[in-house]
């Protein structure tokens, strides 16, 4: 498996993946945020690729010197194989290179079930934020 930055040629595969994994409402919200993040910094959108197939994505952003994990999705047949963890670790490394002061997990009703994943990686209560506007304001 390879973790890398999103490329424009991944767009169709990523949109299919998100449509398969997310609810309709979550998909709509995520696509809007995805487009905004791509216009700011596509390096913070990571994909997991296995055998030339995009099997996972993690959308992150930086705002006011804070890094945010926004949305993570992995195709069902590939879940519980460490792909989400690999995506999170890779994005954390990018946040470190950008010298962000703090890394936060953006929570909403769609990704609350992933809290145990983040907790297993060392994130705790004050590392979670309910602010969902991070990808709808100017990136700073």
């Amino acid at each position: 498996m390879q973790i890398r930055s999103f490329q424009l040629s991944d767009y169709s595969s990523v949109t299919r993946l998100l449509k398969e994994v997310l609810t309709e409402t979550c998909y709509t919200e995520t696509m809007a945020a995805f487009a905004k993040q791509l216009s700011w910094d596509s390096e913070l959108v990571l994909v997991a690729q296995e055998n030339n197939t995009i099997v996972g994505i993690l959308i992150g952003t930086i705002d006011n010197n804070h890094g945010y994990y926004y949305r993570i999705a992995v195709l069902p047949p590939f879940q519980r194989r460490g792909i989400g963890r690999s995506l999170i670790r890779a994005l954390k490394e990018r946040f470190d290179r950008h010298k962000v002061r703090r890394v936060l997990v953006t929570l909403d009703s769609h990704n609350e079930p992933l809290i145990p994943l983040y907790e297993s990686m060392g994130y705790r209560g004050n590392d979670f934020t309910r602010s969902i506007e991070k990808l709808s304001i100017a990136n700073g």
Side-chain angles (χ1 to χ4, degrees), residues 86-126:
S86 295
L87 285 163
I88 291 166
R89 278 193 294 273
L91 188 53
K92 173 69 167 74
E93 289 173 12
R94 291 178 188 220
F95 287 152
D96 290 345
R97 283 198 304 258
H98 283 278
K99 300 188 185 335
V100 300
R101 285 182 306 187
R102 186 161 181 216
V103 177
L104 297 163
V105 179
T106 305
L107 291 181
D108 59 23
S109 61
H110 307 294
N111 61 7
E112 282 181 348
L114 297 173
I115 291 174
L117 168 64
Y118 287 104
E119 287 178 334
S120 74
M121 296 185 73
Y123 293 93
R124 297 291 175 249
N126 64 349

Short mmCIF file of all heavy atoms in Angstrom, two decimals, residues 86-126:
data_model
loop_
_atom_site.label_atom_id
_atom_site.label_comp_id
_atom_site.label_asym_id
_atom_site.label_seq_id
_atom_site.Cartn_x
_atom_site.Cartn_y
_atom_site.Cartn_z
N SER A 86 -2.44 4.56 8.91
CA SER A 86 -1.35 4.99 8.03
C SER A 86 -1.62 6.38 7.47
O SER A 86 -0.71 7.22 7.39
CB SER A 86 -1.15 3.99 6.89
OG SER A 86 -0.72 2.76 7.40
N LEU A 87 -2.85 6.64 7.09
CA LEU A 87 -3.21 7.96 6.58
C LEU A 87 -3.03 9.02 7.66
O LEU A 87 -2.47 10.10 7.41
CB LEU A 87 -4.66 7.96 6.07
CG LEU A 87 -4.91 7.27 4.74
CD1 LEU A 87 -6.39 6.97 4.54
CD2 LEU A 87 -4.38 8.12 3.58
N ILE A 88 -3.49 8.72 8.87
CA ILE A 88 -3.37 9.68 9.99
C ILE A 88 -1.90 9.96 10.29
O ILE A 88 -1.51 11.12 10.46
CB ILE A 88 -4.13 9.14 11.23
CG1 ILE A 88 -5.64 9.15 10.96
CG2 ILE A 88 -3.79 9.96 12.47
CD1 ILE A 88 -6.46 8.35 11.96
N ARG A 89 -1.08 8.92 10.36
CA ARG A 89 0.35 9.12 10.63
C ARG A 89 1.00 9.98 9.54
O ARG A 89 1.81 10.86 9.82
CB ARG A 89 1.07 7.79 10.76
CG ARG A 89 0.93 7.16 12.13
CD ARG A 89 1.91 5.99 12.33
NE ARG A 89 1.61 4.86 11.47
CZ ARG A 89 0.77 3.89 11.77
NH1 ARG A 89 0.13 3.89 12.91
NH2 ARG A 89 0.57 2.90 10.93
N ALA A 90 0.67 9.69 8.28
CA ALA A 90 1.28 10.44 7.17
C ALA A 90 0.87 11.91 7.20
O ALA A 90 1.70 12.79 6.94
CB ALA A 90 0.89 9.79 5.84
N LEU A 91 -0.39 12.18 7.52
CA LEU A 91 -0.82 13.57 7.58
C LEU A 91 -0.19 14.27 8.78
O LEU A 91 0.20 15.44 8.69
CB LEU A 91 -2.34 13.69 7.62
CG LEU A 91 -2.89 15.10 7.50
CD1 LEU A 91 -2.36 15.83 6.27
CD2 LEU A 91 -4.42 15.07 7.48
N LYS A 92 -0.02 13.57 9.88
CA LYS A 92 0.64 14.15 11.06
C LYS A 92 2.06 14.56 10.70
O LYS A 92 2.53 15.63 11.09
CB LYS A 92 0.64 13.14 12.21
CG LYS A 92 1.44 13.56 13.43
CD LYS A 92 0.81 14.70 14.16
CE LYS A 92 1.41 14.94 15.54
NZ LYS A 92 2.72 15.55 15.54
N GLU A 93 2.75 13.75 9.92
CA GLU A 93 4.11 14.12 9.47
C GLU A 93 4.08 15.40 8.64
O GLU A 93 4.96 16.25 8.77
CB GLU A 93 4.72 12.98 8.64
CG GLU A 93 5.09 11.77 9.45
CD GLU A 93 5.53 10.59 8.60
OE1 GLU A 93 5.76 10.76 7.38
OE2 GLU A 93 5.64 9.47 9.16
N ARG A 94 3.07 15.55 7.80
CA ARG A 94 2.97 16.78 7.00
C ARG A 94 2.67 17.98 7.88
O ARG A 94 3.21 19.06 7.66
CB ARG A 94 1.93 16.61 5.90
CG ARG A 94 2.46 15.61 4.88
CD ARG A 94 1.50 15.33 3.79
NE ARG A 94 2.06 14.23 3.00
CZ ARG A 94 2.00 14.17 1.70
NH1 ARG A 94 1.42 15.13 1.02
NH2 ARG A 94 2.52 13.14 1.07
N PHE A 95 1.80 17.78 8.88
CA PHE A 95 1.54 18.87 9.82
C PHE A 95 2.84 19.26 10.53
O PHE A 95 3.13 20.44 10.71
CB PHE A 95 0.49 18.45 10.86
CG PHE A 95 -0.92 18.36 10.34
CD1 PHE A 95 -1.81 17.49 10.93
CD2 PHE A 95 -1.37 19.16 9.30
CE1 PHE A 95 -3.13 17.39 10.50
CE2 PHE A 95 -2.68 19.07 8.85
CZ PHE A 95 -3.56 18.20 9.45
N ASP A 96 3.63 18.26 10.92
CA ASP A 96 4.91 18.54 11.58
C ASP A 96 5.84 19.35 10.67
O ASP A 96 6.50 20.29 11.12
CB ASP A 96 5.60 17.25 12.02
CG ASP A 96 4.90 16.55 13.17
OD1 ASP A 96 4.04 17.17 13.84
OD2 ASP A 96 5.19 15.35 13.39
N ARG A 97 5.89 19.00 9.39
CA ARG A 97 6.73 19.74 8.43
C ARG A 97 6.26 21.19 8.29
O ARG A 97 7.07 22.08 8.04
CB ARG A 97 6.73 19.06 7.07
CG ARG A 97 7.61 17.83 7.03
CD ARG A 97 7.95 17.41 5.62
NE ARG A 97 6.79 17.18 4.78
CZ ARG A 97 6.30 15.99 4.46
NH1 ARG A 97 6.86 14.90 4.93
NH2 ARG A 97 5.26 15.87 3.69
N HIS A 98 4.96 21.40 8.42
CA HIS A 98 4.39 22.76 8.35
C HIS A 98 4.51 23.49 9.69
O HIS A 98 4.08 24.63 9.80
CB HIS A 98 2.92 22.71 7.92
CG HIS A 98 2.72 22.47 6.46
ND1 HIS A 98 2.80 23.49 5.53
CD2 HIS A 98 2.45 21.34 5.77
CE1 HIS A 98 2.57 22.99 4.32
NE2 HIS A 98 2.36 21.69 4.44
N LYS A 99 5.06 22.78 10.69
CA LYS A 99 5.29 23.35 12.01
C LYS A 99 4.00 23.87 12.65
O LYS A 99 4.00 24.94 13.27
CB LYS A 99 6.36 24.43 11.97
CG LYS A 99 7.70 23.89 11.48
CD LYS A 99 8.79 24.91 11.62
CE LYS A 99 10.11 24.49 11.06
NZ LYS A 99 10.48 23.15 10.92
N VAL A 100 2.91 23.11 12.52
CA VAL A 100 1.67 23.51 13.18
C VAL A 100 1.86 23.40 14.68
O VAL A 100 2.64 22.56 15.18
CB VAL A 100 0.45 22.67 12.72
CG1 VAL A 100 0.23 22.81 11.23
CG2 VAL A 100 0.57 21.22 13.11
N ARG A 101 1.21 24.27 15.42
CA ARG A 101 1.34 24.26 16.88
C ARG A 101 0.56 23.14 17.53
O ARG A 101 0.95 22.61 18.56
CB ARG A 101 0.84 25.59 17.47
CG ARG A 101 1.79 26.74 17.27
CD ARG A 101 1.25 27.96 17.91
NE ARG A 101 -0.11 28.17 17.37
CZ ARG A 101 -0.86 29.21 17.59
NH1 ARG A 101 -0.45 30.16 18.37
NH2 ARG A 101 -2.05 29.33 17.04
N ARG A 102 -0.56 22.80 16.93
CA ARG A 102 -1.43 21.79 17.54
C ARG A 102 -2.20 21.07 16.44
O ARG A 102 -2.58 21.67 15.44
CB ARG A 102 -2.41 22.49 18.48
CG ARG A 102 -3.26 21.56 19.26
CD ARG A 102 -3.84 22.24 20.47
NE ARG A 102 -4.63 21.28 21.19
CZ ARG A 102 -5.74 21.55 21.82
NH1 ARG A 102 -6.19 22.79 21.82
NH2 ARG A 102 -6.40 20.62 22.44
N VAL A 103 -2.43 19.78 16.65
CA VAL A 103 -3.21 18.98 15.71
C VAL A 103 -4.51 18.59 16.40
O VAL A 103 -4.51 18.11 17.54
CB VAL A 103 -2.44 17.71 15.27
CG1 VAL A 103 -3.30 16.87 14.35
CG2 VAL A 103 -1.13 18.09 14.59
N LEU A 104 -5.62 18.83 15.70
CA LEU A 104 -6.94 18.56 16.23
C LEU A 104 -7.72 17.65 15.29
O LEU A 104 -7.49 17.65 14.08
CB LEU A 104 -7.71 19.87 16.44
CG LEU A 104 -7.10 20.83 17.46
CD1 LEU A 104 -7.67 22.23 17.29
CD2 LEU A 104 -7.33 20.32 18.87
N VAL A 105 -8.67 16.94 15.86
CA VAL A 105 -9.58 16.10 15.08
C VAL A 105 -10.91 16.81 15.03
O VAL A 105 -11.51 17.08 16.08
CB VAL A 105 -9.74 14.71 15.73
CG1 VAL A 105 -10.70 13.85 14.91
CG2 VAL A 105 -8.40 14.02 15.90
N THR A 106 -11.37 17.15 13.84
CA THR A 106 -12.66 17.79 13.69
C THR A 106 -13.76 16.74 13.79
O THR A 106 -13.75 15.77 13.04
CB THR A 106 -12.75 18.52 12.32
OG1 THR A 106 -11.66 19.42 12.23
CG2 THR A 106 -14.04 19.27 12.18
N LEU A 107 -14.67 16.96 14.72
CA LEU A 107 -15.76 16.01 14.92
C LEU A 107 -17.07 16.59 14.45
O LEU A 107 -17.34 17.77 14.58
CB LEU A 107 -15.91 15.67 16.40
CG LEU A 107 -14.82 14.85 17.05
CD1 LEU A 107 -15.17 14.59 18.51
CD2 LEU A 107 -14.62 13.54 16.32
N ASP A 108 -17.87 15.73 13.87
CA ASP A 108 -19.26 16.03 13.59
C ASP A 108 -20.00 14.70 13.72
O ASP A 108 -19.40 13.67 14.03
CB ASP A 108 -19.46 16.69 12.22
CG ASP A 108 -18.96 15.86 11.06
OD1 ASP A 108 -18.85 14.63 11.18
OD2 ASP A 108 -18.66 16.45 10.00
N SER A 109 -21.29 14.72 13.49
CA SER A 109 -22.07 13.50 13.69
C SER A 109 -21.62 12.37 12.76
O SER A 109 -21.82 11.20 13.07
CB SER A 109 -23.55 13.78 13.48
OG SER A 109 -23.78 14.24 12.16
N HIS A 110 -20.98 12.71 11.65
CA HIS A 110 -20.57 11.70 10.68
C HIS A 110 -19.32 10.93 11.10
O HIS A 110 -19.16 9.77 10.74
CB HIS A 110 -20.33 12.32 9.31
CG HIS A 110 -21.48 13.14 8.82
ND1 HIS A 110 -22.70 12.60 8.51
CD2 HIS A 110 -21.58 14.46 8.59
CE1 HIS A 110 -23.52 13.56 8.12
NE2 HIS A 110 -22.86 14.70 8.15
N ASN A 111 -18.42 11.58 11.82
CA ASN A 111 -17.18 10.88 12.15
C ASN A 111 -17.01 10.56 13.63
O ASN A 111 -15.95 10.10 14.04
CB ASN A 111 -15.96 11.62 11.59
CG ASN A 111 -15.80 13.00 12.15
OD1 ASN A 111 -16.50 13.41 13.06
ND2 ASN A 111 -14.86 13.75 11.60
N GLU A 112 -18.04 10.77 14.44
CA GLU A 112 -17.96 10.40 15.85
C GLU A 112 -17.60 8.92 16.05
O GLU A 112 -16.88 8.59 16.99
CB GLU A 112 -19.24 10.75 16.59
CG GLU A 112 -19.32 12.23 16.90
CD GLU A 112 -20.58 12.60 17.65
OE1 GLU A 112 -21.51 11.77 17.73
OE2 GLU A 112 -20.63 13.74 18.15
N PRO A 113 -18.08 8.00 15.19
CA PRO A 113 -17.69 6.60 15.38
C PRO A 113 -16.18 6.35 15.27
O PRO A 113 -15.69 5.30 15.67
CB PRO A 113 -18.44 5.86 14.26
CG PRO A 113 -19.61 6.74 13.96
CD PRO A 113 -19.10 8.14 14.15
N LEU A 114 -15.43 7.31 14.74
CA LEU A 114 -13.98 7.15 14.59
C LEU A 114 -13.19 7.63 15.80
O LEU A 114 -11.97 7.53 15.81
CB LEU A 114 -13.51 7.88 13.33
CG LEU A 114 -14.09 7.33 12.03
CD1 LEU A 114 -13.70 8.20 10.86
CD2 LEU A 114 -13.64 5.90 11.81
N ILE A 115 -13.88 8.14 16.81
CA ILE A 115 -13.18 8.61 18.01
C ILE A 115 -12.26 7.52 18.58
O ILE A 115 -11.10 7.80 18.88
CB ILE A 115 -14.17 9.14 19.06
CG1 ILE A 115 -14.81 10.45 18.56
CG2 ILE A 115 -13.48 9.36 20.41
CD1 ILE A 115 -15.91 10.98 19.46
N PRO A 116 -12.72 6.27 18.70
CA PRO A 116 -11.81 5.23 19.24
C PRO A 116 -10.53 5.05 18.41
O PRO A 116 -9.47 4.78 18.98
CB PRO A 116 -12.67 3.96 19.23
CG PRO A 116 -14.07 4.46 19.32
CD PRO A 116 -14.07 5.74 18.53
N LEU A 117 -10.62 5.20 17.11
CA LEU A 117 -9.42 5.11 16.27
C LEU A 117 -8.42 6.19 16.66
O LEU A 117 -7.24 5.91 16.90
CB LEU A 117 -9.78 5.23 14.79
CG LEU A 117 -8.60 5.44 13.82
CD1 LEU A 117 -7.68 4.22 13.82
CD2 LEU A 117 -9.11 5.74 12.42
N TYR A 118 -8.89 7.43 16.73
CA TYR A 118 -7.99 8.53 17.09
C TYR A 118 -7.47 8.36 18.52
O TYR A 118 -6.29 8.61 18.79
CB TYR A 118 -8.69 9.87 16.91
CG TYR A 118 -8.85 10.27 15.46
CD1 TYR A 118 -10.08 10.16 14.81
CD2 TYR A 118 -7.78 10.75 14.74
CE1 TYR A 118 -10.22 10.51 13.48
CE2 TYR A 118 -7.91 11.12 13.40
CZ TYR A 118 -9.13 11.00 12.78
OH TYR A 118 -9.26 11.36 11.46
N GLU A 119 -8.33 7.92 19.43
CA GLU A 119 -7.89 7.71 20.82
C GLU A 119 -6.82 6.63 20.89
O GLU A 119 -5.86 6.76 21.65
CB GLU A 119 -9.08 7.35 21.71
CG GLU A 119 -9.98 8.54 21.98
CD GLU A 119 -11.19 8.20 22.82
OE1 GLU A 119 -11.64 7.03 22.81
OE2 GLU A 119 -11.70 9.12 23.48
N SER A 120 -6.95 5.60 20.07
CA SER A 120 -5.95 4.53 20.07
C SER A 120 -4.60 5.03 19.55
O SER A 120 -3.57 4.39 19.78
CB SER A 120 -6.42 3.33 19.24
OG SER A 120 -6.36 3.62 17.85
N MET A 121 -4.62 6.17 18.89
CA MET A 121 -3.39 6.76 18.36
C MET A 121 -2.88 7.89 19.25
O MET A 121 -1.98 8.63 18.87
CB MET A 121 -3.61 7.24 16.93
CG MET A 121 -3.93 6.08 15.99
SD MET A 121 -4.05 6.57 14.28
CE MET A 121 -2.32 6.87 13.90
N GLY A 122 -3.50 8.02 20.43
CA GLY A 122 -2.99 8.98 21.42
C GLY A 122 -3.75 10.28 21.52
O GLY A 122 -3.42 11.12 22.36
N TYR A 123 -4.76 10.49 20.70
CA TYR A 123 -5.54 11.72 20.79
C TYR A 123 -6.53 11.59 21.93
O TYR A 123 -7.11 10.53 22.16
CB TYR A 123 -6.23 12.01 19.46
CG TYR A 123 -5.23 12.32 18.37
CD1 TYR A 123 -4.75 11.32 17.53
CD2 TYR A 123 -4.73 13.61 18.22
CE1 TYR A 123 -3.80 11.58 16.56
CE2 TYR A 123 -3.78 13.88 17.24
CZ TYR A 123 -3.32 12.88 16.42
OH TYR A 123 -2.38 13.14 15.48
N ARG A 124 -6.73 12.68 22.67
CA ARG A 124 -7.60 12.69 23.85
C ARG A 124 -8.64 13.80 23.74
O ARG A 124 -8.62 14.58 22.79
CB ARG A 124 -6.77 12.88 25.12
CG ARG A 124 -5.79 11.75 25.37
CD ARG A 124 -6.55 10.47 25.74
NE ARG A 124 -5.67 9.32 25.89
CZ ARG A 124 -5.64 8.29 25.05
NH1 ARG A 124 -6.40 8.25 24.00
NH2 ARG A 124 -4.84 7.28 25.26
N GLY A 125 -9.48 13.92 24.74
CA GLY A 125 -10.62 14.84 24.75
C GLY A 125 -10.34 16.24 24.23
O GLY A 125 -11.10 16.76 23.41
N ASN A 126 -9.26 16.88 24.68
CA ASN A 126 -9.00 18.25 24.23
C ASN A 126 -8.38 18.31 22.84
O ASN A 126 -8.09 19.39 22.34
CB ASN A 126 -8.15 19.00 25.26
CG ASN A 126 -6.78 18.41 25.43
OD1 ASN A 126 -6.49 17.31 24.94
ND2 ASN A 126 -5.92 19.12 26.14
#
